[in-house]
Structures are given as C-alpha cells and as structure tokens.
Amino acid sequence: MIADDDHAARGDLDGADGTFAGGLLEMLKDIAAEHVREDQGPALVPLGGIGRFEGEVFVDLKETRFGRPLRVTRDLLKRGDSWGLQLRDVERIAHLSAHEAEEYLAQLVDAGYLTSPGAREGCYQCPGSECYHPDYRRWKLTAKGRTLGHASGRQPSTRKRADTLAAKVVKAAAAINEDPDALLWWVKEIRAAGAYADPQQDPLLHVDLAVELRPRLDDPAEQRKAEARLRDAAGDRHERVRAWDLNGYGHFQTRLTLAGRSKVVRMFQSDGDARGALLFCEDRDLTVKAPPTAAYVEPAEPEPLQRCSWCQRAELSERVAPRGEPVSRSPIGLCQLCSQLGHSTSDSFSWCQPRYWTLRETWATLTQEPYHAEGCALCGRPDDGVRSWWTDQQEGEKESAPIDLRLCSLCPGLLELADRPDREKWWHWRYQDACVAGMHQMMREAVNLPALPTKTVTRKPPRLTELHHTLLEEIRRRGVLSPADMARSASSQRHQNSRWWTVRFGHLLDNGLLTPLGAKATDVVDLHGATEIRATSEEERDLRRELHALFTPGPVWDGSGVREVDPPATWQSLRDRCQALAHVLDQRARALQAATTGTHL
C-alpha cells in the first residue's frame, strides 16, 4: 500500500480525473472481490482505498466452546504470532495447569484451529532431531484459527439505529459542502450499499454506504499541493496522525468528518456500481478553478528561541504549544532542562517525567550555583528566602537529607521537592500537577495568551474477566491476599509471578473492588508486590465515592498560586465514618486470614 505522501509525489498513478489512482482502484476491486461473501452483495472498495474489506467474522464471545467461554479461545488465538503458540501462552492466558493446557490445545487441533507441533531440530535438551519438550513445542495457527482470532464480539444494530447513523453521515456531508475549502473535498453522493441497501435486512452488523467524494480544485497538481499544506498545518498543531489514504490527508479527514472511527458505519468508493437508495445528492458543482501556486516545499523546523521562557536563561529553547495551537508561531520556548521538569498527566506541552539523575544534578547545581542571584534560584521569580526542601523518597532509598534552596511557589513541584519530609506519595503527585499547571499559565500570561481550559480526564476502568472474578472470590474467602501469595500458591504457574498478579490486582483496584490494608480513604494507591489486599464492601465503596465527590485533598492551582483548599465542614465527619468502617473491615479480613491459614493474630 502507498501512503498519502508517496501518492502526492507520483502523478503517474492518478486516474483520468486525478482524484484516485485508477490502476490501483482496479487492483483493489480485484482484492475486494476475492474476499466478498455471497450474503453481502457485490464487492466494494473502501473509501480511500485502504481499510477493511468484506469478510469479518462476528461471534458470541459468551458462547461456551471447549468447556470455557469463546472469549478465552478468541483471545488466545489473537495472541498467536507467526511462530504459533507455546504451552506457556495457554497456561497464562487461559489460566490452566500444564495438563489442562495440553487437553485444551488438543481440542483446538481437532477443531481445525491449530496444527500439532512437529519436529524441531537443534534442541540442546533432547538428543535426537525431534523435540517435544514443553518449552519448545509450538502449535501453529491455521487459516480458520486466524479468522477466529480476529473475530469481533460486537452485537448487531437494529434497522432503526442504522438509519440514525446514516442520517448523521448525511448531516455531516451537508456541513462539509457548506465549507469545502476546509478539507479540500466535497460530497457528491451517498447511497446505501451492502446489506443496508436491503430494507428487509434487520438487524445489521454494518451500515454500508457508497460515498462519492470530489476534489475542491480542478487541477490535480494544485489539489495535491493544497492538501500537503493542509497536512503540514495540522502537524504543526499536533493534530496529524499517520494517515493512510490513497487520496491524501484532506480526503482522510473528510472520511473522519463523515463517520469518525465508527466500527458500524463503513464507507466505500462509489464508482457507479452502487444501486442502493439515494441518501444524499449535491446538485451544485463545488469544484472550482485552481489558481497557480508556487511549488510545494516541505516546512523547515521552527526556529528556536534564544531565551528559555521559564528559567530565563540565554539558552536555545525549543518552541512548545498545546494541542490545537501552531508550534512554529509559539512565543513560548523551553530549554532542555525546563522541558523535562515536573511530571503532569496533561499532555498540553508534551511534558515528560524527568529521569531521577537529571533532578539530582539540578538540585546539586542550584545549591552551588543558582541560575539567578536574586529571587528563585531556578526561574528568578519572587521567593520566600532560603528554606529546606525534601525529595520524594524513592523505593529502597534511605531517608534523604533536606536540600536548602531559594525557590518560588512553583519550582519545588517542578523539581519534585516537598515542604515536609513526611508528605505522602499522592501529595507529591498532586503537588507536581498543580505546579506544572501554574507554570503553563504563567508562561502564557507573560506573552498575553489566553489561559488553557481545565480538562477533567476520566479513565474507564478495565474490563473484568472470569479470572478477575475468581481472584476476587479467593480474596473474599481468605480475607487478606497479596500478589506474592498468589505467586507462591500451588494453583499458580511458574510464569505467573507476583508482577503478573499485581496487574490483575490493579484491575480490581481500579474498579474499587479491592483496597490495601490500612489505606486511607484519600490515598492514591501504588501497588507493590508485597502489598496486602482485601475486598471492599458495597457500603465502603459508596462512602468513598461520596467522599471524593465532595472534596479531593491536596494542592491545586487556583489561578494565582498553588495552595491547599480547606475541606467542607461535612467532609471530615464523612471521612471519619469511612476510616472507621475501613478499620472494622481490616480487622475482619485479618481474622478471616488467621482462620483460613491456621495462624493466630
């Protein structure tokens, strides 16, 4: 396949109208015809030339097959690479013993999803040319196995839902045609295609649409140059992803505007073969005459600034800007050191967490030779004088000595320092985020740019599998459990070490079903291999949700400085209730642990 950049440089692949690679279109039609199924109508080429063809398989992942949910089999085959599957893969993914994994693989071989392992030459553990050692045998995937491995568990859509989705595409097409210069393409026609073209078909796995797009400019060379400039401008704003489309970046963005990344709506190239119902038709001819422009030249790298916008040193500084703003015209630049300082969950300036040795070198440098003789030693802004700061103690490190520095209200968080040695880890994280947010806003205010909008990021909890629920029941039965306990358990396989179990514990923790013993209701929990875990109760989860909805402790940036807001009057009493309930549940879990292990408290 050819990317948009390659297509822009090769005019010999264009069709007569310059809108699609004519020879490639015919080739893609042949490929689509090879993959078409009898029940899905004529072969159609995906809009843009690259995408999924006909032939996807949809299965009920809750169906029981080979004595376990089909999802387990699908996930196992999905992870099979060109070398095949090993016994350890089945033990880990299906959570089976070695004997059970052997039987399971034999069932998959009998069903035609795998082929049995053959001879392996050169095994240093076996004397002959044939080797059936468990660590080396590989079961290869058949075509049937690869098909099931890439199967989807999505449920069909109703005809009513399909009509709603098609109406959204039609509405988006009308909006595109109102401003065709924005994406350099306009929509001529949309027709129903595939199974959606049959009004009797219900339910539907896909909403197939035959879409005819036309370029805005009549000159193919000018169209390509305009699209290249459009792509460069999007890249300057951090908005361009790798676009695979034989018609270029503007064509790719038009597809996204019409249907987004929907897994239900599929758009195909309309070349006159579509006979479905007409959903949209543009009577106007929106193609315009292209004025001649200069030859396209790739944009140069943005010129660096001569002074850092934060530390104010005369250092070459790379221009930075949040997503959506052009980097090449940004008046804010950061030197190599300041671009690494602070750790934030926001990607506004593509911040990265600094290496610990970078921080230690910076602490030592600022102690001996501050960057500024007056004010903050790092940025030169007003400070409160020399005072002691403590580092966030790293795992396995001894308690560190305080660092005496003259810093402003924001730089301690950027340098990952705290005002007291007993600050909890969650406090450090929130303090760093607050200081980075203040740093962004202060740099923007200095160059008269509007403040960045605050974004609330909500992360979807991980999906829980049968293994997670089995693990949760085991914790409830035993009261207290740790990843290290599971790694030592007789039911655990040798590859399922404490780190492997820590991930599963973390999934349950993210769903609020587990909590470490002795954890405070306001803590941000960081699991380690030896952490003891117990199950939560429904009452405890409700109290914690109510507690966090009412108030979240820790430093925040309020627009003028970093400070800790006092909690509401009712928050402390609610926190005490939550802590009292957690203490009772901790005691019950300890008692249950003692009863199940035969030990005494």
Side-chain angles (χ1 to χ4, degrees):
M1 294 300 180
I2 300 177
D4 53 353
D5 293 343
D6 299 327
H7 175 61
R10 296 181 59 181
D12 59 314
L13 293 178
D14 290 330
D17 59 355
T19 61
F20 200 89
L24 289 176
L25 177 57
E26 296 300 323
M27 179 188 69
L28 292 171
K29 284 183 180 179
D30 296 337
I31 296 175
E34 294 178 2
H35 291 81
V36 71
R37 296 206 307 263
E38 294 181 358
D39 60 339
Q40 301 230 358
L44 294 170
V45 176
L47 187 65
I50 297 178
R52 293 185 176 181
F53 298 101
E54 304 288 350
E56 293 94 338
V57 177
F58 293 84
V59 295
D60 183 4
L61 297 179
K62 297 180 181 178
E63 172 191 346
T64 300
R65 194 178 296 185
F66 310 116
R68 49 191 49 84
L70 185 58
R71 181 185 294 276
V72 176
T73 305
R74 193 280 305 266
D75 291 348
L76 176 66
L77 296 175
K78 187 176 183 179
R79 286 163 174 77
D81 54 17
S82 59
W83 295 95
L85 291 167
Q86 289 185 313
L87 192 64
R88 68 184 68 180
D89 300 324
V90 185
E91 295 174 7
R92 181 181 70 253
I93 297 170
H95 192 51
L96 300 174
S97 65
H99 177 69
E100 292 171 335
E102 290 268 12
E103 295 181 346
Y104 184 33
L105 286 168
Q107 290 177 312
L108 294 177
V109 171
D110 294 339
Y113 295 110
L114 298 172
T115 59
S116 298
R120 180 188 181 277
E121 298 181 0
C123 176
Y124 64 89
Q125 294 192 19
C126 300
S129 61
E130 294 187 355
C131 172
Y132 295 97
H133 193 277
D135 289 338
Y136 292 95
R137 288 180 296 168
R138 291 184 180 273
W139 283 258
K140 298 293 185 65
L141 272 70
T142 63
K144 183 179 178 181
R146 286 191 293 271
T147 300
L148 180 58
H150 291 86
S152 171
R154 182 174 58 80
Q155 298 301 311
S157 301
T158 63
R159 168 66 63 166
K160 182 178 180 180
R161 171 63 175 162
D163 291 340
T164 302
L165 293 175
K168 290 183 178 180
V169 176
V170 169
K171 183 179 179 181
I176 289 173
N177 287 356
E178 289 302 317
D179 186 17
D181 291 322
L183 299 175
L184 298 173
W185 290 82
W186 59 280
V187 186
K188 173 60 179 175
E189 182 182 278
I190 300 178
R191 287 182 178 271
Y196 182 59
D198 183 3
Q200 305 301 322
Q201 191 84 6
D202 191 11
L204 295 162
L205 288 173
H206 293 105
V207 179
D208 291 340
L209 302 174
V211 181
E212 181 181 352
L213 298 183
R214 294 191 179 181
R216 175 62 167 166
L217 305 179
D218 63 346
D219 187 346
E222 294 297 336
Q223 175 77 12
R224 287 196 298 270
K225 288 191 289 184
E227 286 209 57
R229 297 185 182 104
L230 184 71
R231 177 199 60 209
D232 295 337
D236 194 29
R237 299 190 301 269
H238 301 292
E239 293 176 354
R240 190 173 82 87
V241 296
R242 186 171 179 83
W244 289 93
D245 191 323
L246 293 177
N247 280 335
Y249 180 72
H251 194 274
F252 171 72
Q253 288 297 330
T254 306
R255 288 164 44 203
L256 290 184
T257 304
L258 285 172
R261 301 182 185 274
S262 173
K263 296 181 180 179
V264 179
V265 177
R266 301 190 304 182
M267 297 183 297
F268 297 92
Q269 181 80 10
S270 177
D271 57 350
D273 294 339
R275 294 291 184 267
L278 182 64
L279 305 179
F280 175 84
C281 182
E282 179 61 71
D283 297 328
R284 301 169 294 173
D285 185 1
L286 299 179
T287 301
V288 298
K289 184 175 180 58
T293 60
Y296 170 73
V297 179
E298 291 189 5
E301 290 292 328
E303 287 290 334
L305 297 179
Q306 301 300 314
R307 182 175 296 275
C308 178
S309 299
W310 184 251
C311 70
Q312 304 297 319
R313 291 184 298 163
E315 298 273 347
L316 286 180
S317 302
E318 181 181 0
R319 295 177 187 265
V320 293
R323 188 179 302 276
E325 295 183 7
V327 175
S328 58
R329 299 197 300 271
S330 174
I332 300 175
L334 294 174
C335 65
Q336 185 175 7
L337 171 65
C338 292
S339 64
Q340 299 183 45
L341 293 182
H343 171 57
S344 175
T345 56
S346 171
D347 62 348
S348 297
F349 287 96
S350 302
W351 238 262
C352 61
Q353 187 173 9
R355 295 183 182 273
Y356 190 54
W357 60 265
T358 302
L359 290 174
R360 287 188 297 182
E361 288 184 358
T362 307
W363 298 333
T365 301
L366 293 177
T367 303
Q368 302 297 326
E369 298 179 5
Y371 295 157
H372 301 276
E374 296 181 358
C376 176
L378 176 61
C379 68
R381 291 170 178 82
D383 66 281
D384 296 330
V386 178
R387 57 173 298 183
S388 297
W389 302 96
W390 280 264
T391 64
D392 182 11
Q393 188 173 342
Q394 302 295 312
E395 186 178 357
E397 277 191 347
K398 297 181 179 179
E399 184 175 348
S400 56
I403 302 173
D404 295 331
L405 285 174
R406 186 179 69 250
L407 298 175
C408 65
S409 61
L410 294 181
C411 286
L414 304 180
L415 295 171
E416 298 189 9
L417 299 173
D419 56 354
R420 297 203 317 257
D422 58 344
R423 287 296 191 184
E424 301 92 334
K425 188 172 287 292
W426 63 263
W427 187 93
H428 279 270
W429 294 342
R430 290 173 183 164
Y431 185 44
Q432 291 165 22
D433 288 344
C435 290
V436 170
M439 177 187 186
H440 293 179
Q441 302 295 18
M442 290 186 67
M443 289 191 300
R444 294 178 68 85
E445 289 177 3
V447 292
N448 298 319
L449 289 177
L452 291 173
T454 56
K455 296 181 180 179
T456 303
V457 180
T458 57
R459 187 167 60 91
K460 185 178 180 181
R463 178 181 61 85
L464 300 183
T465 64
E466 182 182 356
L467 171 62
H468 291 99
H469 291 293
T470 302
L471 176 60
L472 181 60
E473 290 301 319
E474 180 70 9
I475 296 174
R476 288 171 176 165
R477 184 184 68 83
R478 296 173 59 174
V480 177
L481 202 60
S482 73
D485 294 333
M486 289 303 300
R488 291 191 294 264
S489 174
S491 62
S492 175
Q493 306 302 316
R494 65 185 183 277
H495 54 272
Q496 294 170 343
N497 54 26
S498 60
R499 182 182 295 275
W500 191 89
W501 285 109
T502 298
V503 175
R504 276 70 197 170
F505 277 64
H507 292 167
L508 291 168
L509 183 74
D510 291 340
N511 282 271
L513 300 174
L514 295 183
T515 183
L517 256 68
K520 298 179 182 178
T522 55
D523 284 352
V524 176
V525 181
D526 184 24
L527 281 179
H528 296 287
T531 301
E532 293 184 309
I533 307 292
R534 66 164 174 84
T536 58
S537 67
E538 186 174 353
E539 180 185 4
E540 184 180 17
R541 291 193 293 272
D542 290 341
L543 280 175
R544 289 195 174 189
R545 281 193 291 266
E546 185 179 353
L547 187 70
H548 288 285
L550 183 62
F551 175 74
T552 300
V556 294
W557 169 257
D558 63 358
S560 59
V562 176
R563 63 189 183 92
E564 295 194 57
V565 183
D566 294 331
T570 57
W571 183 81
Q572 188 60 46
S573 59
L574 184 62
R575 181 176 182 272
D576 292 340
R577 282 178 54 198
C578 193
Q579 289 297 117
L581 177 59
H583 180 71
V584 172
L585 295 177
D586 285 350
Q587 293 296 317
R588 291 179 184 175
R590 283 293 189 194
L592 187 57
Q593 179 192 35
T596 55
T597 57
T599 60
H600 300 282
L601 292 175

